Amino acid sequence: MNNPYRKVKQNKRFLCLTIASFTAALFLFYLSIDTHNEEAAAALVQLNSSPKPPIPNAATATAPPPPPPPQFTPTLHGKKVFFAITTVGLGQFSYFENMIDSVRDLCEAGAHVSLHIISSNCDASIVECEVKETTGNDTIEDNFSVETLSHLNERVRCRNPEGRLESKIHLVSPDWGKQICDHHRLLFYEHLEEGYDVFIHTEDDLLIRPTHVISFMDEMEKLRLLVGDERVADYCIGFMRYENQERRFDKRRVIWEFEWDSYLTMINHTGIENKYFISPPWHHQGMSMATKQQLLAWKTRAPDCHFHKIVRRYGYHRERITGGLDLYNKNFCNVTQLLPLDTLEDSLINHMPNKNYNRMPLNILTTRNLHKLRVNKMQSFGEDKRIRVDGNGEYDGIELFEDERDHTKRMHFDLTEYHAYVESGGRLTEKQLEYWEWEEQDLPEYMEQEPKYYEPD
């Protein structure tokens, strides 16, 4: 017989054991939490007692260095060009039109061009006018007529949607005389902070092509890398004018403004040895180009540059300003002209009247023979000096070959010298370096007497 009392007693014992077990487990859980809290508290105390890094002071904190300027790419696409032309009385309008066409070509190449035409004219009632070398009555028209503007407007429309060309004409007083050419300097500095890559000023009869513009920028960047930012304004990549010798049947290109020796005057300053030469003995160009960095430095350049100011000097020839003579004069800006030895052809600019060479017949030097002078000098740096090669030392010049498709036709071409020229990497022989025989009639006597060949170093 089951005893109900015993059953209840067993249930009570089981319940007590269960409660005891639960209590013990709860106690152990509490102990584990308490130990974790003590460790956390100890870690917090240690963290608070460790030295803390100083809080940066906004007033004394060093700003991160500015990002480096973007690497220069020799292309006109996207470049900003400030282009100033001085023209007086439209007496050379046909040359001026060629200049406008060339400026538009800059835009068609993708450049953003701001064209500024500086002009004046004489009062037709005044017989003599200092702004021109001829009388006031000889000018074609009174500045720019509506008909002229209508004609020119058609010439300055750029088709390239990525290029831009804006054009303005600045009329100034003829009282400035020939120093009307100075006005471009005011414009340069008024627009100096507008992000232009190059500033150009020229007379109205020089054919400045897009090649000249990109070559100047590229050569200036190469120069900056050679001499550093602190010295780059001491120099300027220069130009030389040439004319086509119209009185000759071959219309050869000639340079007439300088007293050439039978050797080149090299500029061997530190860092630019054997890379540049100058035009002897002065450096007239009829135009000039500059970067913002140069223009900033020339404001205060010793001894008397103040390139940003116009100082009236009566009777002062306009070509001292526009031609670069003051820029390279030791008494004024004292900047050193640099003509690149290996790329001079990109610095030769056509003086479109093609008549001034008659003034100095004994100074005439063809661009062909100037090229030979330069190659001669480059080859003098060593017998293994290769002139026209790529990065792998392979000839990269013009390819010449026979291409007659009809084999019954007569061929009489000897390409032996050409193949030797290619094999040597563009070197010329001593015989090939002699002056062109067609020039003998115009050479000064001293050029016939002095050696015409550099012995290799």
Side-chain angles (χ1 to χ4, degrees):
M1 181 175 182
N2 292 335
N3 187 349
Y5 175 76
R6 179 180 295 178
K7 189 174 182 178
V8 170
K9 190 174 183 179
Q10 290 176 347
N11 290 341
K12 287 182 178 181
R13 186 182 295 115
F14 176 78
L15 180 61
C16 290
L17 291 174
T18 302
I19 293 173
S21 300
F22 178 77
T23 302
L26 186 63
F27 178 72
L28 292 174
F29 177 72
Y30 170 77
L31 287 178
S32 67
I33 293 177
D34 187 60
T35 302
H36 177 74
N37 288 340
E38 289 179 358
E39 293 175 353
L44 183 62
V45 170
Q46 183 179 4
L47 179 63
N48 290 333
S49 63
S50 62
K52 300 176 179 58
I55 300 175
N57 186 346
T60 60
T62 303
Q71 186 176 3
F72 176 81
T73 302
T75 177
L76 286 169
H77 187 271
K79 296 295 192 297
K80 292 190 66 176
V81 180
F82 191 97
F83 205 117
I85 304 174
T86 299
T87 182
V88 177
L90 302 185
Q92 300 190 121
F93 188 68
S94 62
Y95 305 142
F96 175 71
E97 287 183 289
N98 291 338
M99 283 292 306
I100 296 298
D101 292 342
S102 188
V103 171
R104 174 178 166 173
D105 288 343
L106 286 168
C107 179
E108 300 296 0
H112 299 173
V113 187
S114 182
L115 172 61
H116 296 259
I117 300 164
I118 305 162
S119 185
S120 187
N121 206 343
C122 300
D123 187 340
S125 64
I126 300 177
V127 176
E128 297 293 337
C129 181
E130 190 180 0
V131 77
K132 277 185 64 67
E133 295 173 347
T134 56
T135 63
N137 291 312
D138 288 338
T139 56
I140 293 178
E141 60 186 46
D142 186 13
N143 299 312
F144 286 83
S145 65
V146 171
E147 296 95 324
T148 300
L149 293 179
S150 176
H151 184 195
L152 291 178
N153 278 333
E154 191 171 335
R155 310 282 284 276
V156 295
R157 293 186 300 184
C158 183
R159 294 179 182 270
N160 187 346
E162 296 184 338
R164 187 168 66 245
L165 175 56
E166 63 173 8
S167 306
K168 299 180 180 180
I169 298 177
H170 304 250
L171 299 178
V172 299
S173 170
D175 292 344
W176 281 102
K178 295 173 183 177
Q179 281 194 260
I180 183 180
C181 292
D182 261 331
H183 194 78
H184 75 277
R185 297 200 283 182
L186 300 179
L187 301 180
F188 280 3
Y189 287 93
E190 287 174 1
H191 298 271
L192 195 60
E193 300 299 331
E194 297 178 10
Y196 288 99
D197 295 285
V198 63
F199 295 80
I200 304 169
H201 175 251
T202 180
E203 300 171 4
D204 59 3
D205 57 4
L206 292 176
L207 188 57
I208 298 177
R209 299 177 290 107
T211 294
H212 297 122
V213 179
I214 191 59
S215 297
F216 175 84
M217 289 191 285
D218 190 30
E219 292 294 339
M220 282 302 304
E221 176 62 14
K222 292 177 181 177
L223 176 65
R224 188 186 68 82
L225 295 176
L226 289 172
V227 302
D229 290 323
E230 64 280 0
R231 290 174 55 200
V232 71
D234 296 343
Y235 306 96
C236 191
I237 299 299
F239 297 85
M240 286 195 294
R241 306 192 300 177
Y242 74 86
E243 291 187 334
N244 297 308
Q245 203 170 9
E246 299 287 353
R247 65 180 174 84
R248 290 179 57 93
F249 72 93
D250 55 337
K251 305 293 189 294
R252 62 187 181 177
R253 292 181 174 184
V254 296
I255 299 170
W256 75 96
E257 297 183 277
F258 311 110
E259 298 175 1
W260 294 98
D261 291 317
S262 59
Y263 56 87
L264 300 179
T265 303
M266 301 297 294
I267 300 295
N268 285 321
H269 297 178
T270 302
I272 57 174
E273 297 88 348
N274 296 327
K275 293 183 180 298
Y276 305 98
F277 68 103
I278 60 173
S279 56
W282 52 81
H283 317 300
H284 177 243
Q285 303 177 162
M287 49 74 63
S288 61
M289 299 187 192
T291 65
K292 173 186 174 180
Q293 188 175 9
Q294 290 172 306
L295 291 175
L296 284 173
W298 295 346
K299 290 174 64 175
T300 57
R301 184 172 177 81
D304 191 22
C305 192
H306 52 75
F307 206 72
H308 61 305
K309 293 182 180 179
I310 297 179
V311 178
R312 182 67 193 271
R313 287 176 272 181
Y314 287 93
Y316 208 58
H317 200 283
R318 66 174 181 270
E319 292 181 349
R320 286 203 168 273
I321 300 102
T322 186
L325 293 180
D326 277 1
L327 179 63
Y328 301 124
N329 191 318
K330 292 183 178 180
N331 296 321
F332 293 95
C333 294
N334 195 27
V335 173
T336 300
Q337 182 202 51
L338 296 180
L339 298 171
L341 183 64
D342 60 345
T343 61
L344 179 72
E345 290 290 329
D346 294 340
S347 299
L348 298 179
I349 297 178
N350 181 215
H351 184 237
M352 289 182 280
N354 293 324
K355 62 182 181 181
N356 286 10
Y357 66 87
N358 290 314
R359 301 176 182 175
M360 304 176 182
L362 295 182
N363 285 354
I364 286 178
L365 180 69
T366 66
T367 57
R368 168 75 65 90
N369 284 341
L370 178 57
H371 167 76
K372 290 183 179 183
L373 279 174
R374 295 190 295 112
V375 172
N376 198 353
K377 187 62 180 178
M378 287 187 280
Q379 291 183 183
S380 73
F381 300 150
E383 292 184 357
D384 59 344
K385 174 69 175 177
R386 298 170 70 83
I387 308 300
R388 298 288 175 252
V389 294
D390 58 19
N392 297 320
E394 299 295 330
Y395 173 77
D396 66 347
I398 298 172
E399 185 178 358
L400 175 66
F401 54 92
E402 295 181 349
D403 191 30
E404 175 53 57
R405 311 302 172 89
D406 186 346
H407 298 294
T408 65
K409 300 296 185 184
R410 179 174 59 91
M411 294 290 286
H412 60 277
F413 304 103
D414 184 356
L415 303 185
T416 303
E417 289 190 357
Y418 166 73
H419 293 306
Y421 172 73
V422 171
E423 183 66 24
S424 67
R427 291 178 66 90
L428 296 178
T429 66
E430 182 174 352
K431 178 176 172 43
Q432 291 165 345
L433 285 171
E434 292 180 358
Y435 287 128
W436 197 7
E437 63 274 15
W438 288 352
E439 189 173 14
E440 300 301 323
Q441 60 178 324
D442 293 323
L443 276 177
E445 183 178 353
Y446 68 82
M447 281 194 169
E448 293 300 309
Q449 298 172 352
E450 297 185 13
K452 304 176 182 177
Y453 181 70
Y454 291 98
E455 291 294 336
D457 294 339

